[in-house]
Amino acid sequence: MAEPSWGSGVKNTAIIGRVMFGLTFVLGGLLHLTGPQYAAPQVPDMFGAPYFWVYLTGVAQLAFAASAFSGRYDRLAGWCLFAMMCVFIVTMHIPRAVGGDFMGVISTMRDFGYAGAALMYAGALAQDPRLFSWSAPRSLSEV
């Protein structure tokens, strides 16, 4: 009997992880779009227009999931998801945690994990090496 290939096992595990991670943001995006009244109170007053931000972040979550599933622009999507999670942590969750709201602590921990996972995704699992659809010139002669 042939010895199993560790490479295929790792690849299968990565595929399952990518799907699970993407599904998290399908569900999160759908919740933002179908129940904005639950997320809108969490939007800091300094941003204004809470429903706009809830809808925008819902679409962003769905866009990440679509990118992760298709493998197109998924490195860029991973970096964008990382940035969004950092904004959530700094502007919403830490202020709530400092104010004594234990859900702020839990949300900080959750989104800190999502941010780290987004970085791992962008760095190790992304299929599309491009950050954008164009490639930058390598020298002035290519401009």
Side-chain angles (χ1 to χ4, degrees):
M1 188 157 91
E3 189 171 275
S5 169
W6 290 108
S8 64
V10 170
K11 183 178 180 182
N12 291 339
T13 302
I15 291 169
I16 293 168
R18 185 176 69 235
V19 169
M20 290 174 67
F21 192 53
L23 284 174
T24 301
F25 293 100
V26 168
L27 296 174
L30 290 175
L31 287 172
H32 275 69
L33 297 178
T34 61
Q37 67 275 18
Y38 301 110
Q42 295 181 39
V43 176
D45 292 338
M46 67 180 166
F47 288 121
Y51 281 84
F52 167 78
W53 293 108
V54 171
Y55 287 127
L56 180 67
T57 57
V59 169
Q61 290 180 46
L62 291 171
F64 170 79
S67 184
F69 294 149
S70 71
R72 299 213 39 176
Y73 303 103
D74 56 345
R75 184 176 312 279
L76 174 62
W79 278 104
C80 290
L81 180 64
F82 166 75
M84 186 171 74
M85 291 298 122
C86 289
V87 170
F88 288 177
I89 291 166
V90 171
T91 63
M92 292 188 302
H93 306 324
I94 290 177
R96 286 176 53 203
V98 170
D101 183 354
F102 189 68
M103 285 305 296
V105 174
I106 293 171
S107 297
T108 299
M109 293 168 35
R110 180 200 62 219
D111 285 356
F112 197 74
Y114 283 157
L119 278 181
M120 284 192 291
Y121 182 90
L125 295 177
Q127 298 173 11
D128 191 342
R130 302 169 297 174
L131 284 178
F132 302 98
S133 61
W134 50 269
S135 59
R138 289 182 219 116
S139 68
L140 290 177
S141 64
E142 292 183 24
V143 175

